[in-house]
Amino acid sequence: MNGELSRRRFLVLGGLGVAATTSWAMGRGAPAGAADLAEPPVLRSHRGRLEVTLVAAPGVRLAGRDTQALGYNGRSPGPTLRVRPGDELALRLTNNLSTPTNLHTHGLRVSPQGNADNPFVMVDPGASFDYRIQIPKDHPVGTFWYHPHHHGTTADQIFGGLAGALVVAAEPDLSVTRERVLVITDTTLTKDGHVADPGGMGRMMGRRGDLVLVNGEHRPTLAATTGTTQRWRIVNACASRILRLHLTGPGLHQIALDGIYLHRPQSAGVVLLSPGNRADFLVSPEAPGRFELRTEPRPPEEDNGSGPTNAPAPKPIRLATLAVTGSRRRAPSLPTALPAAPAITGPVHGNRKITFEMTMGGMGLGGLLPDGMGMGDGGMAWTIDGRSFDPKRDDQKVRAGDVEEWTIANDSPMDHPFHLHVWGFQVVADSSNNPVSGTAQDVVMVPANGWVRVRVAFTGFTGRTLYHCHVADHSDAGMMATVNVS
């Protein structure tokens, strides 16, 4: 799982200290959620346009307590933005934080230029920026999300609570009685309600919070009735934490990944979601009872150990409880086919190799590392192809309209989720011989000392954007690069 590191390899890094934090509620003492989990308010487009202001600022309620965590419009997660293919998203972002920020509409196939989904925009404290994002008429319908993406502050701001769901609607009839948006975040709070600093170790390994929250609540309850079907849109909005989702009892039937429909519903025992991944599920309980939505620890046969801040939980973490009422009733039949997007076909115009690395010496993390951690003059850094991120440098130049295959190699002792903005990709093979879905996605886990091969169609848009590790601490520390399509 992301941030996971073998104990033997961990020792090679040499005596890394763990920064202590005083946390509030490590799974005890946090108030339970309401009888039925509330969802973020929904802001819907009207007549082809969604005009909205998002104010990023501290001061939100988390787990039933007033805190100085971060949110949009006074809450975390922020409002759910709901648009349709062909709409314009007219969004004013106002920065009431103490550090620069911006906004990334994660997973949207939209322009990366100008005031669209441009990750190079910087909104200073006290300033505002007007985004104008035109959603194509043929845009996939599905579950996406938004979050800050200013280099150097991304991890702090996501861990602080800045995230929200973004749904592109115009859906087929799936005969669901209820649709839920479940944004999963994690954080650590001090006794006085501030977000704890993860310390140098947390930044190096990728921080994981003591509180794992669903729509800002700790271990809430989801109400359901036998014989009905709910659609759950789940977003992994954690800065670094991998989720291994499992629902006891009725189980999960997955219908989409990263906003793209699968070919048919798939019965899912455990579904791995890297930071940034989304998955849609149908949940159809037939018997009454109380069932747990959990994130499971890594199974023993896959467990390679970890550093202290990212150790796999020894037990499952309960995210929420599904409370089902009514007498035993058969659930409606699941659809036999779904409107999956066609596979990327045709000739491949180019092949590239992208390598995630941990560089020692010459590429130091400076203040990101705890005292005494440096090795030589440079310490350790997360890099791509041996280079730290430079926003002025073009790392990859691609001809518009070409289809390419990229092999994402991971030469480091930790797993890294690879994310490409705008175009997405189709996984065609990996070093673990995992089955491929045949549909597009925008985040994929690249295992330690392994590789994943993806196919990308650079069609629809030109411009300059990013690819990076979606452990936000790692991208902030340099594991990010640019691609220029023209």
Side-chain angles (χ1 to χ4, degrees), residues 396-419:
Q396 307 294 337
K397 295 182 179 180
V398 177
R399 186 173 60 184
D402 277 4
V403 173
E404 294 196 351
E405 287 193 354
W406 290 15
T407 298
I408 317 302
N410 181 1
D411 287 355
S412 85
M414 295 175 67
D415 301 345
H416 295 287
F418 169 78
H419 173 50

Side-chain angles (χ1 to χ4, degrees), residues 16-22 155-156 159 188 190 195-209 240 308-310 365-371 373 382 472-474 476-477:
L16 307 183
V18 182
T21 60
T22 302
D156 285 344
F159 193 69
T188 299
T190 62
V195 177
D197 189 307
M201 172 62 79
R203 295 180 188 276
M204 185 65 189
M205 305 296 290
R207 68 192 80 183
R208 300 197 331 181
S240 299
T309 63
N310 266 322
L365 296 179
L368 295 180
L369 298 180
D371 292 342
M373 183 172 170
W382 297 115
D473 285 295
H474 293 172
D476 275 347

Side-chain angles (χ1 to χ4, degrees), residues 161-187:
L162 289 181
L166 197 165
V167 175
V168 180
E171 299 284 357
D173 180 13
L174 294 178
S175 300
V176 298
T177 56
R178 179 167 185 177
E179 181 176 304
R180 293 183 183 270
V181 172
L182 305 178
V183 180
I184 299 176
T185 58
D186 69 343
T187 195

Side-chain angles (χ1 to χ4, degrees), residues 209-298:
D210 294 339
L211 280 172
V212 186
L213 306 171
V214 181
N215 291 352
E217 295 293 340
H218 187 236
R219 297 179 175 174
T221 298
L222 312 178
T225 305
T226 56
T228 64
T229 299
Q230 295 187 8
R231 177 182 186 150
W232 292 1
R233 299 178 181 270
I234 296 183
V235 180
N236 183 352
C238 300
S240 299
R241 181 186 294 273
I242 274 197
L243 300 173
R244 302 185 74 254
L245 296 178
H246 171 63
L247 177 64
T248 64
L252 298 167
H253 288 87
Q254 187 176 356
I255 60 171
L257 174 65
D258 287 354
I260 306 298
Y261 277 109
L262 306 178
H263 292 283
R264 61 192 60 83
Q266 297 181 2
S267 179
V270 175
V271 177
L272 185 147
L273 294 186
S274 299
N277 276 140
R278 292 87 59 214
D280 290 24
F281 300 98
L282 298 180
V283 179
S284 304
E286 296 186 342
R290 295 177 67 84
F291 310 100
E292 291 188 359
L293 176 65
R294 303 169 173 171
T295 179
E296 301 281 358
R298 195 165 188 169

Side-chain angles (χ1 to χ4, degrees), residues 47-48 83-89 108-111 133-142 168-171 460-461:
R47 294 183 177 178
V83 295
R84 298 172 64 87
D87 283 352
E88 180 189 53
L89 176 57
L108 288 193
R109 276 63 164 168
V110 295
S111 172
I133 300 174
Q134 185 62 48
I135 299 168
K137 293 182 178 179
D138 61 351
H139 194 285
V141 295
V168 180
E171 299 284 357
F461 301 99

